[in-house]
Amino acid sequence: MQSLRPTLPTVPVLAKGKTHTGRCWVYVRDDRPFGGGAPPAAMFYYSRDRRGDHVEAHLVRWSGLLQADAYSGYNRLYATDRTPGPILEAGCWAHARRPFFTLADIEASARRKAEGKAPAPISPLALEIVQRIDALFEIERGINGKIADERCAVRQELSRPLVDELEARMRAERPKLSRGNDLAKAMDYMLKRWAAFTRFLDDGRVCLSNNAAERGLRGIALGRKSWLFAGSDRGGMRAAAMYSLIITAKMNGIDPQAWLADVLARIAEHPLHRLDELLPWNWKPELAAVSRAA
């Protein structure tokens, strides 16, 4: 079973007299945290909007573990009777941590006070929950790269008691808060999806967050400052294709410019049955040099 981590950044697209907001779907496979043998890869898709049927089309022939935020467009993927097979949801603890951190950001409150502004109130309970989640991430740093069974064993011993205590604490405190309270919303985000958030305890392949996908979209975030917008929907599609190649190369420790220059120079004459040699995880600079010399 494979694992994917998606995310969904926005892309400005030129329209008549303005720009509209397109979407660039990013799917990342990175099995290195649990010693998996599959090479890391990223796949980008462009669409005009963020309807859930896009992601259903992208993953129509795929099944496995999907680690993402709680975007409702993913919901139909988790149907138990799905064909060709089930997709198992894994919650992202980094997404869950953010609203608690916002309510417990001591440094931000201090900066506001230094600027003469009213300091933001600090929630002791939110701060406590952030510290509990940080303890889980600390355990993960110690098992990063170990095989799935070893990760699972450590999580059962060290992480499960912390997770159980966190759940008990939130379920005890949640009834004391009103529905519209920001801390209540942060708790509900997790408690309503508790099975997804605790899946990592019983499956060593699951990471604690989908930060691999977040790192994959950095190129888009930085690039928007340079290219400003895609010229059309077709331009958005071409950009998604190029980002797939560039980010995959980077994930495999390959210089994208050197790889693309070599592949474009060789691909017309390269045997079709050996195209896999040009994939980023198979490509070798020294072999490329030998090929050019020949």
Side-chain angles (χ1 to χ4, degrees):
M1 182 181 287
Q2 295 178 324
S3 60
L4 286 181
R5 280 168 272 182
T7 190
L8 183 57
T10 60
V11 178
V13 182
L14 189 63
K16 188 175 181 179
K18 59 177 182 178
T19 61
H20 67 253
T21 302
R23 303 285 171 167
C24 200
W25 306 76
V26 186
Y27 302 91
V28 169
R29 177 187 68 194
D30 190 351
D31 296 348
R32 290 173 294 182
F34 61 87
M43 190 68 191
F44 290 66
Y45 291 97
Y46 167 82
S47 67
R48 177 65 73 93
D49 53 55
R50 66 190 299 245
R51 296 196 317 270
D53 54 356
H54 294 300
V55 71
E56 293 177 43
H58 299 159
L59 303 180
V60 65
R61 293 188 296 272
W62 183 84
S63 62
L65 288 162
L66 190 74
Q67 186 161 39
D69 60 17
Y71 169 50
S72 60
Y74 301 131
N75 289 349
R76 285 188 288 186
L77 297 174
Y78 306 133
T80 55
D81 58 348
R82 179 182 178 273
T83 301
I87 288 182
L88 302 179
E89 179 186 10
C92 173
W93 284 77
H95 277 92
R97 178 183 180 276
R98 288 171 191 168
F100 292 111
F101 181 81
T102 299
L103 295 170
D105 193 345
I106 297 175
E107 292 183 2
S109 182
R111 285 195 300 270
R112 288 181 58 86
K113 186 175 181 180
E115 295 169 357
K117 301 176 182 178
I122 302 299
S123 166
L125 181 54
L127 180 59
E128 176 191 334
I129 293 173
V130 168
Q131 292 170 339
R132 289 176 181 270
I133 294 175
D134 287 350
L136 294 174
F137 275 101
E138 182 63 31
I139 294 170
E140 291 299 303
R141 282 188 276 274
I143 59 176
N144 188 45
K146 296 184 180 295
I147 63 172
D149 288 346
E150 291 181 14
R151 284 156 61 92
C152 190
V154 171
R155 288 167 172 175
Q156 289 293 325
E157 179 184 358
L158 302 179
S159 300
R160 182 173 288 280
L162 301 183
V163 171
D164 290 344
E165 291 173 5
L166 174 60
E167 180 187 15
R169 180 74 166 131
M170 289 197 296
R171 293 197 184 280
E173 295 297 328
R174 175 60 187 88
K176 303 175 185 178
L177 303 171
S178 64
R179 182 185 304 176
N181 183 282
D182 288 339
L183 184 55
K185 293 177 182 178
M187 289 184 181
D188 288 344
Y189 180 89
M190 296 190 71
L191 293 174
K192 291 179 179 179
R193 303 168 183 85
W194 197 246
F197 277 105
T198 56
R199 192 175 299 279
F200 82 101
L201 294 172
D202 300 305
D203 192 331
R205 298 167 301 169
V206 180
C207 291
L208 209 57
S209 75
N210 72 339
N211 284 343
E214 299 285 341
R215 289 191 294 270
L217 62 84
R218 284 179 182 172
I220 291 180
L222 295 174
R224 282 183 304 214
K225 297 180 180 179
S226 300
W227 46 258
L228 300 182
F229 51 78
S232 64
D233 288 336
R234 289 184 63 187
M237 294 175 188
R238 285 193 292 267
M242 290 305 300
Y243 274 117
S244 298
L245 299 175
I246 292 168
I247 300 303
T248 297
K250 285 185 175 182
M251 292 179 70
N252 285 273
I254 300 297
D255 178 358
Q257 184 175 0
W259 171 67
L260 283 170
D262 179 67
V263 169
L264 291 174
R266 296 166 54 194
I267 196 167
E269 299 178 358
H270 197 83
L272 287 175
H273 67 282
R274 289 168 46 198
L275 281 178
D276 62 304
E277 295 175 358
L278 302 181
L279 293 170
W281 47 85
N282 292 332
W283 181 80
K284 298 291 189 296
E286 61 270 19
L287 296 181
V290 169
S291 176
R292 287 194 297 271

